[in-house]
Amino acid sequence: MAADAGAGEEAGVDVTSPRERYRAQVRSDIKARAWDQIARSGATGLSLNAIAKELGMSGPALYRYFGSRDELITELIRDAYRSLADTFRAAAESGAGLEGLAQALRRWALDDPQRYFLVYGTPVPGYHAPDDITAIAREIMGALLDVCASAGLEAPAPASASFTAHLSQHRQWAEGHPAPPGVLRKALAFWTRMHGVLSLELAGHFTGMGFGPERLFDAEVAELTPGR
Amino acid sequence: MAADAGAGEEAGVDVTSPRERYRAQVRSDIKARAWDQIARSGATGLSLNAIAKELGMSGPALYRYFGSRDELITELIRDAYRSLADTFRAAAESGAGLEGLAQALRRWALDDPQRYFLVYGTPVPGYHAPDDITAIAREIMGALLDVCASAGLEAPAPASASFTAHLSQHRQWAEGHPAPPGVLRKALAFWTRMHGVLSLELAGHFTGMGFGPERLFDAEVAELTPGR
DNA sequence: CATGTTAGTTATAGCTTCTAACGCAAGCGA
DNA sequence: TCGCTTGCGTTAGAAGCTATAACTAACATG
């Protein structure tokens, strides 16, 4: 719709050809519909045919943009990881600490539960994520480690001394991060506990139990942030 | 396996007719194949046609035994809940305490990860479990509450005092269980934390990180059982 | 023995993913 | 401005799925 195209290669601000821009637009439309469908009926109920029909084009046209159904889903998973990594980075740089990170995570999860489950939900037995996605996963762990490292650790729990010692020699996942074992332990505790409460809440296992899920979440966060 | 059938309606030990026994046998065969498929490719990859072919009968014959694919899956979910409830009851009655319950849960989960995810995995947005399944879920919570109540609670964590107070007035999920709020808090902590570490392990999120998942699990259990 | 129930069959509708072959039109270089 | 190429979208169709309908054959029971 914008009409200021056609300048040469000069300036180099917009190197995308009209074809490329159109293609990117359609791809983005497809993904938007896919997210709608996933939010409505889960990744299982995602239908390429239905998406194509919604976009006014007929079935196989969609294969010009995504090689297969799995390829589209993988792309959505990648975007979900990317979105979570950005959320973590932003929370880490905001200086809000572990508490802030936890609240950012919960907001991100509640914003689209199925997106959360695309990252941390039931795995497909055969599936192996491509390398760039595991790289984003490491980026997420990196942000978490940063926050844990700068948060300090007053009494990270005495009973896990043995495991903390184990971590001091099995820390290749930290990838050269200079955090001491106690910080690694804390990052793992944060990850597993936040996931524990969040995934059960998102899956609806707390509905009808009476208590407020956000209170449980906050209580769990409070135990992980003893200082404040 | 017992062969004492054929007497009349008298005695009433075995009221199953040969037809009923055959039907039960075929139903059980179908479910066995279904579990195989789920373990191999997840609940999504379950194909009634493939099961029928494996059993040497043609497609629609299977609908004599299960009304639909969803009905079969629901039955598998019910069996999974039943199996977990039995495991919990046995562990509770063995007197092994929270530690024993945790280890029993982990063994049950590792024995068939996809069965675990049938209970605690990604939910299908539209799906609502039938009442008898939610009843089994309450039975599971009951066993957990029993163990938590008899385990006593030395220092269940100070920071969650506010949430524990909240629980004292929002405890309809305990269904008349006489446990004090501190025990309810402990049961919730056990549930969410065990699920946190277990589900991440089962989903493979710890692979390649270097540490031993069982060490992390044991450390988490150790923090929940301060006494021993 | 007659009758009703039930397990299995094939045929079919309608959905899905995905491939193949074709037409058309938009963009690119000369 | 004129081809030529590239790529988008189409229809046709194969192979798979769930599920229904109609029918047959075997079984159980009166």
Side-chain angles (χ1 to χ4, degrees):
Chain A
M1 279 55 179
D4 54 353
E9 53 193 18
E10 212 162 331
V13 256
D14 195 0
V15 288
T16 64
S17 70
R19 270 246 163 96
E20 279 171 327
R21 270 182 295 146
Y22 176 75
R23 183 174 178 81
Q25 175 63 41
V26 175
R27 277 179 64 96
S28 142
D29 284 355
I30 293 172
K31 292 210 278 188
R33 304 284 180 158
W35 279 118
D36 277 2
Q37 277 200 11
I38 286 183
R40 219 176 315 120
S41 51
T44 301
L46 191 148
S47 160
L48 298 190
N49 252 338
I51 293 174
K53 206 183 288 182
E54 283 182 39
L55 291 179
M57 56 188 185
S58 213
L62 217 139
Y63 285 79
R64 296 278 174 195
Y65 301 93
F66 295 95
S68 71
R69 186 175 177 276
D70 276 10
E71 196 176 304
L72 172 57
I73 292 184
T74 296
E75 183 112 352
L76 297 178
I77 293 176
R78 189 187 341 264
D79 288 357
Y81 269 93
R82 181 75 270 145
S83 166
L84 179 56
D86 292 345
T87 301
F88 261 43
R89 270 274 161 251
E93 289 168 2
S94 80
L98 262 186
E99 161 86 26
L101 193 63
Q103 296 301 338
L105 171 62
R106 184 158 186 268
R107 272 194 305 272
W108 183 84
L110 288 175
D111 185 51
D112 187 345
Q114 286 294 325
R115 182 180 54 182
Y116 183 92
F117 285 117
L118 230 45
V119 172
Y120 290 122
T122 304
V124 178
Y127 184 78
H128 240 59
D131 288 346
D132 65 305
I133 288 186
T134 63
I136 305 178
R138 281 194 294 273
E139 188 181 330
I140 293 171
M141 282 308 293
L144 172 57
L145 280 172
D146 286 347
V147 176
C148 285
S150 65
L153 38 107
E154 311 93 53
S160 64
S162 156
F163 178 63
T164 305
H166 173 72
L167 277 181
S168 69
Q169 288 179 322
H170 299 82
R171 49 178 299 157
Q172 62 241 48
W173 55 282
E175 289 190 314
H177 199 289
V183 168
L184 302 188
R185 172 73 187 97
K186 186 144 205 165
L188 284 181
F190 180 90
W191 185 23
T192 59
R193 293 189 193 176
M194 295 301 98
H195 169 68
V197 286
L198 253 185
S199 68
L200 286 177
E201 175 186 1
L202 296 175
H205 287 283
F206 296 155
T207 57
M209 289 185 71
F211 63 87
E214 75 287 350
R215 315 276 301 248
L216 173 57
F217 184 85
D218 291 343
E220 207 67 5
V221 172
E223 285 192 27
L224 282 163
T225 56
R228 52 180 8 251
Chain B
M1 281 63 177
D4 53 354
E9 54 195 18
E10 213 163 329
V13 255
D14 196 358
V15 287
T16 63
S17 70
R19 263 236 165 105
E20 279 171 327
R21 272 182 293 144
Y22 175 77
R23 184 176 178 79
Q25 175 63 41
V26 175
R27 277 180 63 96
S28 141
D29 285 354
I30 292 171
K31 292 210 277 187
R33 304 283 180 159
W35 280 118
D36 277 2
Q37 276 199 13
I38 286 183
R40 219 174 316 119
S41 51
T44 301
L46 191 148
S47 159
L48 298 192
N49 254 338
I51 292 175
K53 206 182 288 183
E54 283 182 38
L55 291 178
M57 55 189 190
S58 212
L62 217 139
Y63 285 80
R64 296 281 171 192
Y65 299 94
F66 294 94
S68 70
R69 187 175 176 276
D70 277 9
E71 197 176 302
L72 173 57
I73 292 184
T74 296
E75 184 112 352
L76 297 178
I77 292 176
R78 190 187 341 266
D79 288 356
Y81 268 93
R82 180 76 268 144
S83 166
L84 179 55
D86 293 345
T87 301
F88 261 42
R89 271 271 162 254
E93 287 167 3
S94 80
L98 262 185
E99 160 87 24
L101 192 64
Q103 296 302 335
L105 171 62
R106 183 158 187 269
R107 272 194 304 271
W108 184 84
L110 287 175
D111 186 50
D112 188 346
Q114 286 294 324
R115 182 180 56 181
Y116 183 91
F117 286 117
L118 230 45
V119 173
Y120 290 122
T122 305
V124 178
Y127 183 78
H128 241 60
D131 288 347
D132 65 304
I133 288 186
T134 63
I136 305 179
R138 280 194 295 271
E139 189 182 329
I140 293 171
M141 281 309 293
L144 172 58
L145 281 172
D146 287 346
V147 176
C148 286
S150 66
L153 40 105
E154 312 93 52
S160 63
S162 155
F163 178 63
T164 305
H166 174 72
L167 277 181
S168 69
Q169 288 180 320
H170 298 84
R171 48 179 299 158
Q172 62 241 49
W173 55 281
E175 288 191 316
H177 200 290
V183 169
L184 302 188
R185 173 72 187 98
K186 186 146 205 165
L188 285 181
F190 180 90
W191 185 22
T192 58
R193 294 189 194 176
M194 296 299 98
H195 169 68
V197 285
L198 254 186
S199 67
L200 286 176
E201 175 186 0
L202 296 175
H205 287 283
F206 295 155
T207 57
M209 289 185 69
F211 63 86
E214 75 286 350
R215 314 276 303 248
L216 173 56
F217 184 85
D218 291 344
E220 206 68 4
V221 172
E223 285 191 29
L224 282 163
T225 58
R228 52 179 354 259

